[in-house]
Amino acid sequence: MGDGLARILTKQSFDPEAFIAKLAIDGEDALLDMRQKVHALNEDTAQALKKNVYKNYSQFIETAKEISILEGEMYQLSNMLTEEKSLMSSMMKLSLVSDKAMVEGPKEEKKEESPEEETRRNLAFLLEKVEGCSSVTEVPGRHLVHDTDLVEVEPETFVQIQRTHAFLLSDSLMMATWVPTRRGPMRYRFQGLYELDSLAVVNVRDAGPIKNAFKILMFPETRMYQADSAKSKRQWLDILEDTKKKKAVKDKQKKEAANRLSDQLSPSPVNSPMGEKGLPSPVFKDAPEEPVTIDTDFLQADWLEELPEDLDMLIAQRNFEGAVDSVEKVTEYLKACPKGPALKEFKARIDHRVKQLTDGLMSELQVSPERSLRGGPRAARHAVTQLIRLAKSAQACDLFLKNRSAVIRYNIRQLKFEGATTLYIRCLCTVFFSSLSDTAKEFLKAFPDHYGCYSAFVIWAKQELVSFVSIFRRQVFESKASLTTIAECVQLAKKHCAELSSIGVDMEFSLASMMDLPIQQVIEETRDQMVEGIKYRTQDELWRPLNLQNKADCDKFVAEMKALGFDVKPYVSDVCFVALTHNTVQFAKSSLTFVDDLLRLYTIELENMIALAIQTVFTAQMQQFQAALKSDKFQSERSTIVKNAQFVGEKVIGRIFTLYQQNDVTLPLQLQTVQMNFRQIK
Amino acid sequence: MSKAKTQQPAVIHKVIMVGSGGVGKSALTLQFMYEEFVEDYEPTKADSYRKKVVLDGEEVQIDILDTAGQEDYAAIRDNYFRTGEGFLCVFSIKEQESFQATQEFREQILRVKNDENIPFLLVGNMIDLKDQRQVTYEEALKRAQEWRVPYVETSAKTCVNVDKVFYDLMREIRSRKMEAIRQNNGKQKKREKKRKCTIL
């Protein structure tokens, strides 16, 4: 029915006049009926409109939220991509077969700058490739300069012997032979390590059928190697020469330094390296032959052999959990393994991976400016848990808390300071303390049984509180806000802080101790302002009763005072006169606010200070009364002055006593003295 | 790999060129190897060559190690010298200093090889530039006689006595090897090294 009408009305060709005319033929009833119908339709439409608007509105909000979340995710995605890129490039750098390992001038310089770091990376990688070279990688400062495949050739007969891989390190040349039966990256076996000091290199210019060859003379051995191209050979010769020179320079510097040191002691240490040079020997050659067999059996399991690669893959896929699982598994397994060099080597490989894994996890927790902080504390938990499993709880704890700090800072920065200080402080307190309590809860969940980390949390919470207080101070104390505002803000902070104790974090005392000084200052300032005000106002006090002109206003005044807790009825006379002066009323009001604020700021430490401030203010007022009484000018107003003094002494101070009682604070002695003094005014 | 096995002559004589920088060691070597003279001078680091030659009707291989006159490190030079069976100690007749330096090379070789009778030839190069001669034939010969080694004057440029010095040295090496075989009578190797003291 209603639908039918709506259809007619919304028709394109709807002609209202014809419609009405048609209706009018049926008479008044039909018209009234129609009117009702239109009315109902109107209401329905309004309802529908409202609903639609609301529906669209909520949809709009949702969409906006989605968009912002999407934005955050895009950020994260781009972040992940950059990470991926750096991962790739670092892998490229590590790869032994990649062209990147070729030395270029400027790159070389960089290596010199942080040789330690480079060493660990490069040489740890050697462990992957070459069996039995763990001792080589342990020398600090040693790093990989150049490496390629070479074919070893018998120097007399030029018969090709075997495929080898040569690694030029910063101070020595390591040769490794190719093991054809091996799967995986471990395809070379350590053959020998030759010190560059006494290594003689011969460029084989012409050796009949053998092209691109060079010889390494290392007494008593002579080895001949064939490179795969003339370019490669040239490179080897140049780099060998270059590296030798660099080493010689370095050694010379070292020797000079040592010389200077041991000059008076003995000249022999200088001689000994020379002696070694005279009788060079291939160091470490094939040394770990027998012990290897003991633990190699143990490390023969298929999954173990593939583990390092699997770990690489898991890390690259950011499947940190899986990687940690594997690491735990292997650690457990290796515990039972007999100790030996092969185990040591294997462990070194795993350790290398663990380090990468840790780095990955750490970067997950790292706070970077472009990264969205949307994740919240729960997102961090994942990484934290894995780090704890890797026994890196200290780092995890540190990073987690740093992450939280950043989140708090971010959230606080999001707050806009607009309008009232109290409003801002309310938001600030909510954000800060709820973040704090979130963190605490999350911390308890993320670090169960890691009691060592709890102290870190406590320290962190303290630091955060300090920074919170500094913001608080800036906004509250340094903004010249009124005592009332300050009292309100302080109260807010205290209240929020007290709520923290429900999760076992009690920081009220530190908050109080940090706020103590500014509070004292502000109390003193306000007290002085009041005293000044009292003096200023009494200058032009005439001690005339208040004239409120008419009854209505008088009643209004009485009601107003009543609301403040003062009964001024007895002081009313002649319809619209009140026996109190304007100043007295003013003083009553302001002192009441003052005391109220002070009591809100009340702490045991401040008790005395508050009482003293109130006493000072009231004494100042009392002195005004006394001065007026003594003055000849106000001879005729004496009764009014006394009345006013009594009002202050009895009513106002009485009201203050009530405030004290309401706040459960014991009445200080000073105030009673003040009241006694007022009573003596005659 | 099998290619390398194509019946190389079993005997290899290892010759080392020593002498100061720029006296013509490489020039002599290249002249001997390829019958060509290289005008451009470029310091050698350490180059090795091998050539099949017929020595008195016997097919042998000569392995020449052309060393750097400029090599700074004695320890490394030792390593080169150790691999040699015979030495051509070259100086330039138009450069007195290079002649003086031969003394040092001789001493080092004797020390490293620990053998007074090591095959050794004193070679005065560049006789095509006689007008610039600074080292007389007599004084060079005198030194050679002191050392009990032959003295030969050569020119790499005009190819005077180039083959002679190499062949003479190879003959010396060969006769030394024969002698060694006779002495050891069986368990011999080409050269049996004794451990020696290196006194610096």
Side-chain angles (χ1 to χ4, degrees):
Chain A
M1 177 67 180
D3 278 354
L5 184 64
R7 218 173 23 244
I8 297 166
L9 289 174
T10 51
K11 247 189 222 162
Q12 283 271 286
S13 55
F14 177 69
D15 180 3
E17 278 186 30
F19 184 70
I20 299 296
K22 212 170 101 192
L23 276 178
I25 299 165
D26 297 343
E28 198 184 357
D29 280 349
L31 269 178
L32 282 174
D33 195 29
M34 182 50 70
R35 194 184 150 212
Q36 208 127 35
K37 274 191 214 157
V38 171
H39 207 75
L41 187 64
N42 182 25
E43 252 162 40
D44 281 352
T45 314
Q47 204 72 37
L49 201 65
K50 226 190 263 172
K51 237 183 234 165
N52 273 331
V53 165
Y54 179 71
K55 203 170 135 205
N56 286 336
Y57 181 70
S58 62
Q59 258 175 2
F60 171 75
I61 299 265
E62 245 163 65
T63 314
K65 259 190 205 158
E66 284 294 323
I67 288 170
S68 75
I69 288 171
L70 211 61
E71 192 198 355
E73 271 167 10
M74 288 311 282
Y75 265 128
Q76 223 135 19
L77 193 67
S78 90
N79 208 51
M80 272 156 88
L81 281 174
T82 23
E83 234 168 69
E84 204 89 343
K85 197 180 140 205
S86 70
L87 197 78
M88 293 285 235
S89 62
S90 70
M91 275 185 155
M92 290 289 279
K93 251 182 245 157
L94 286 178
S95 168
L96 286 187
V97 282
S98 95
D99 292 339
K100 292 265 170 136
M102 304 274 184
V103 206
E104 296 138 18
K107 204 173 140 208
E108 182 73 6
E109 295 306 312
K110 259 185 237 156
K111 274 183 186 163
E112 298 280 7
E113 278 167 20
S114 59
E116 293 296 318
E117 198 53 23
E118 208 68 19
T119 304
R120 225 143 281 151
R121 270 215 292 168
N122 273 327
L123 298 187
F125 204 77
L126 284 186
L127 287 176
E128 300 300 310
K129 288 245 162 187
V130 184
E131 184 184 285
C133 72
S134 58
S135 46
V136 176
T137 58
E138 275 162 12
V139 178
R142 182 180 275 181
H143 60 88
L144 182 67
V145 179
H146 184 61
D147 76 284
T148 60
D149 278 319
L150 293 173
V151 177
E152 188 174 351
V153 179
E154 217 292 307
E156 302 279 316
T157 61
F158 295 162
V159 176
Q160 292 184 330
I161 303 173
Q162 57 191 347
R163 283 174 63 178
T164 58
H165 198 99
F167 300 88
L168 178 61
L169 308 173
S170 46
D171 63 342
S172 44
L173 179 71
M174 181 174 85
M175 299 306 304
T177 54
W178 187 65
V179 187
T181 52
R182 214 45 88 62
R183 281 186 304 133
M186 195 65 129
R187 268 180 305 180
Y188 301 100
R189 181 181 288 131
F190 179 77
Q191 186 188 24
L193 183 78
Y194 307 103
E195 281 183 47
L196 285 184
D197 283 328
S198 42
L199 187 81
V201 184
V202 176
N203 177 8
V204 180
R205 291 250 182 186
D206 185 347
I210 302 293
K211 298 272 183 276
N212 307 324
F214 61 93
K215 276 192 215 171
I216 302 287
L217 308 183
M218 195 59 198
F219 184 75
E221 285 173 90
T222 299
R223 287 174 189 272
M224 188 162 162
Y225 297 98
Q226 191 181 13
D228 53 5
S229 69
K231 191 180 154 234
S232 168
K233 171 178 144 178
R234 192 71 255 158
Q235 210 164 21
W236 262 109
L237 292 175
D238 291 347
I239 293 170
L240 268 168
E241 180 78 22
D242 202 45
T243 316
K244 271 165 89 172
K245 267 188 200 143
K246 271 186 192 153
K247 178 164 195 295
V249 170
K250 223 184 247 175
D251 282 354
K252 209 173 148 200
Q253 287 168 348
K254 244 186 244 167
K255 223 183 273 174
E256 274 168 10
N259 254 355
R260 252 172 270 135
L261 275 176
S262 63
D263 238 0
Q264 68 272 61
L265 285 173
S266 68
S268 56
V270 191
N271 285 348
S272 56
M274 296 286 276
E276 276 165 34
K277 266 185 217 164
L279 276 179
S281 57
V283 200
F284 309 128
K285 206 192 165 214
D286 292 341
E289 208 54 88
E290 308 94 9
V292 166
T293 44
I294 307 168
D295 47 357
T296 35
D297 289 347
F298 209 84
L299 294 169
Q300 219 66 77
D302 262 358
W303 68 271
L304 263 186
E305 279 191 3
E306 277 160 24
L307 187 84
E309 275 156 276
D310 288 348
L311 276 178
D312 275 344
M313 202 175 68
L314 288 170
I315 294 166
Q317 289 173 340
R318 305 176 69 79
N319 183 354
F320 296 130
E321 200 169 347
V324 177
D325 285 343
S326 304
V327 170
E328 279 190 340
K329 191 176 162 198
V330 74
T331 324
E332 195 55 39
Y333 182 78
L334 290 183
K335 263 185 205 157
C337 180
K339 300 273 177 291
L343 172 73
K344 203 168 131 202
E345 211 168 289
F346 187 75
K347 264 202 171 151
R349 293 173 63 190
I350 298 295
D351 285 348
H352 179 54
R353 295 286 157 24
V354 170
K355 197 170 168 295
Q356 280 183 343
L357 181 59
T358 316
D359 288 348
L361 284 166
M362 300 252 242
S363 72
E364 192 84 332
L365 285 174
Q366 217 94 53
V367 185
S368 53
E370 72 268 32
R371 186 170 225 155
S372 139
L373 292 165
R374 208 167 282 280
R378 219 151 299 137
R381 194 199 299 169
H382 184 67
V384 167
T385 318
Q386 306 309 329
L387 275 176
I388 291 173
R389 285 174 65 192
L390 289 173
K392 308 268 184 213
S393 56
Q395 280 104 313
C397 169
D398 185 42
L399 283 169
F400 174 74
L401 292 177
K402 270 191 190 138
N403 185 295
R404 296 302 300 158
S405 294
V407 172
I408 292 177
R409 259 202 306 282
Y410 174 79
N411 287 340
I412 288 177
R413 225 177 298 130
Q414 292 301 98
L415 290 177
K416 299 273 179 332
F417 185 85
E418 39 190 38
T421 313
T422 333
L423 208 63
Y424 175 78
I425 293 298
R426 181 167 291 136
C427 294
L428 181 70
C429 288
T430 317
V431 165
F432 175 75
F433 287 106
S434 66
S435 300
L436 207 61
S437 82
D438 276 356
T439 308
K441 281 182 207 149
E442 198 49 45
F443 194 88
L444 290 176
K445 265 185 224 154
F447 297 88
D449 309 323
H450 283 78
Y451 300 114
C453 296
Y454 287 14
S455 53
F457 174 75
V458 172
I459 288 169
W460 173 83
K462 179 84 193 293
Q463 278 167 351
E464 287 303 311
L465 192 70
V466 169
S467 66
F468 165 77
V469 169
S470 81
I471 298 174
F472 186 90
R473 263 192 196 182
R474 215 166 36 239
Q475 299 295 352
V476 176
F477 293 112
E478 285 164 26
S479 66
K480 298 283 165 220
S482 69
L483 185 64
T484 316
T485 318
I486 291 172
E488 226 169 293
C489 294
V490 171
Q491 237 183 347
L492 268 172
K494 277 189 185 163
K495 194 175 122 248
H496 275 104
C497 193
E499 278 166 14
L500 281 185
S501 59
S502 68
I503 50 152
V505 185
D506 188 352
M507 301 206 292
E508 280 178 89
F509 61 98
S510 16
L511 184 69
S513 71
M514 280 186 264
M515 300 259 218
D516 217 25
L517 198 66
I519 289 178
Q520 285 183 18
Q521 278 168 354
V522 90
I523 289 175
E524 277 166 15
E525 270 168 34
T526 320
R527 179 200 64 201
D528 294 347
Q529 274 169 18
M530 294 218 31
V531 171
E532 283 301 305
I534 289 164
K535 281 181 188 156
Y536 178 75
R537 277 197 299 267
T538 38
Q539 272 171 12
D540 37 35
E541 175 65 281
L542 297 170
W543 301 108
R544 298 252 169 83
L546 208 56
N547 183 359
L548 290 154
Q549 311 296 349
N550 55 44
K551 173 129 176 42
D553 280 353
C554 185
D555 286 348
K556 210 172 130 195
F557 173 75
V558 172
E560 200 184 300
M561 292 305 278
K562 180 107 186 163
L564 290 172
F566 300 118
D567 183 12
V568 289
K569 270 255 170 68
Y571 298 91
V572 178
S573 59
D574 295 341
V575 181
C576 62
F577 283 93
V578 180
L580 303 173
T581 68
H582 181 67
N583 277 344
T584 309
V585 173
Q586 208 60 41
F587 175 74
K589 281 182 189 167
S590 61
S591 62
L592 211 58
T593 324
F594 179 59
V595 173
D596 191 34
D597 293 341
L598 288 184
L599 287 176
R600 280 204 242 178
L601 293 171
Y602 175 85
T603 57
I604 300 209
E605 290 81 10
L606 288 171
E607 182 175 11
N608 197 38
M609 164 130 205
I610 291 172
L612 275 172
I614 298 172
Q615 188 190 23
T616 315
V617 170
F618 276 89
T619 311
Q621 182 66 23
M622 192 178 69
Q623 280 161 359
Q624 301 308 323
F625 286 128
Q626 283 169 340
L629 282 174
K630 275 182 202 149
S631 163
D632 299 336
K633 216 167 115 192
F634 302 120
Q635 211 58 268
S636 53
E637 316 290 351
R638 283 189 66 100
S639 69
T640 318
I641 295 169
V642 172
K643 238 181 209 172
N644 275 291
Q646 276 169 354
F647 174 76
V648 173
E650 295 301 320
K651 300 283 161 125
V652 180
I653 294 183
R655 182 80 189 107
I656 286 165
F657 287 171
T658 337
L659 281 178
Y660 262 86
Q661 272 163 15
Q662 278 169 3
N663 283 291
D664 273 336
V665 181
T666 43
L667 210 55
L669 209 64
Q670 288 99 321
L671 289 190
Q672 288 168 349
T673 338
V674 169
Q675 195 173 37
M676 296 304 283
N677 291 343
F678 266 100
R679 280 180 183 151
Q680 281 160 15
I681 292 177
K682 285 274 154 55
Chain B
M1 259 169 245
S2 54
K3 192 174 64 175
K5 275 188 179 165
T6 49
Q7 282 313 300
Q8 293 282 353
V11 184
I12 303 171
H13 299 309
K14 293 177 185 163
V15 174
I16 298 191
M17 313 290 293
V18 300
S20 312
V23 296
K25 297 183 293 299
S26 300
L28 281 170
T29 310
L30 293 174
Q31 182 62 263
F32 175 72
M33 284 294 294
Y34 310 116
E35 281 109 35
E36 60 184 28
F37 179 69
V38 187
E39 286 278 2
D40 313 334
Y41 175 65
E42 190 202 330
T44 308
K45 297 222 171 76
D47 294 344
S48 119
Y49 303 85
R50 190 173 291 197
K51 192 181 185 179
K52 223 184 278 182
V53 291
V54 179
L55 178 66
D56 302 332
E58 183 198 0
E59 204 174 59
V60 296
Q61 282 195 90
I62 180 166
D63 189 301
I64 306 167
L65 175 60
D66 183 12
T67 62
Q70 287 90 349
E71 180 62 65
D72 299 331
Y73 302 105
I76 291 172
R77 208 146 54 182
D78 281 358
N79 271 327
Y80 290 129
F81 292 174
R82 279 193 190 100
T83 64
E85 290 165 341
F87 295 83
L88 288 181
C89 186
V90 187
F91 68 91
S92 163
I93 57 152
K94 64 187 191 82
E95 201 187 324
Q96 183 67 36
E97 276 168 32
S98 71
F99 177 63
Q100 296 310 325
T102 56
Q103 186 72 46
E104 227 174 277
F105 283 107
R106 169 81 182 171
E107 276 163 21
Q108 193 179 359
I109 289 163
L110 292 188
R111 176 172 57 72
V112 171
K113 299 305 287 186
N114 196 24
D115 181 358
E116 284 284 338
N117 300 318
I118 187 82
F120 190 104
L121 251 73
L122 185 62
V123 179
N125 194 24
M126 303 193 188
I127 52 156
D128 51 300
L129 302 170
K130 268 188 187 127
D131 49 330
Q132 296 173 39
R133 190 190 266 278
Q134 282 186 6
V135 183
T136 62
Y137 181 81
E138 287 70 30
E139 66 177 316
L141 186 67
K142 192 176 156 243
R143 177 168 287 180
Q145 280 164 350
E146 272 170 29
W147 292 347
R148 279 176 291 143
V149 299
Y151 172 62
V152 185
E153 295 203 327
T154 59
S155 165
K157 190 173 183 179
T158 55
C159 204
V160 176
N161 284 339
V162 174
D163 283 2
K164 178 183 160 57
V165 288
F166 283 99
Y167 279 96
D168 281 358
L169 186 65
M170 274 193 279
R171 285 189 190 101
E172 288 259 1
I173 294 171
R174 186 182 55 187
S175 70
R176 283 279 295 169
K177 280 180 184 165
M178 296 305 222
E179 201 182 314
I181 291 168
R182 244 178 284 123
Q183 275 178 5
N184 294 349
N185 202 24
K187 55 157 189 158
Q188 104 306 334
K189 277 272 153 291
K190 277 172 219 125
R191 57 199 164 96
E192 196 68 69
K193 318 176 279 289
K194 274 176 258 160
R195 293 288 254 175
K196 58 211 147 287
C197 266
T198 323
I199 304 133
L200 284 165

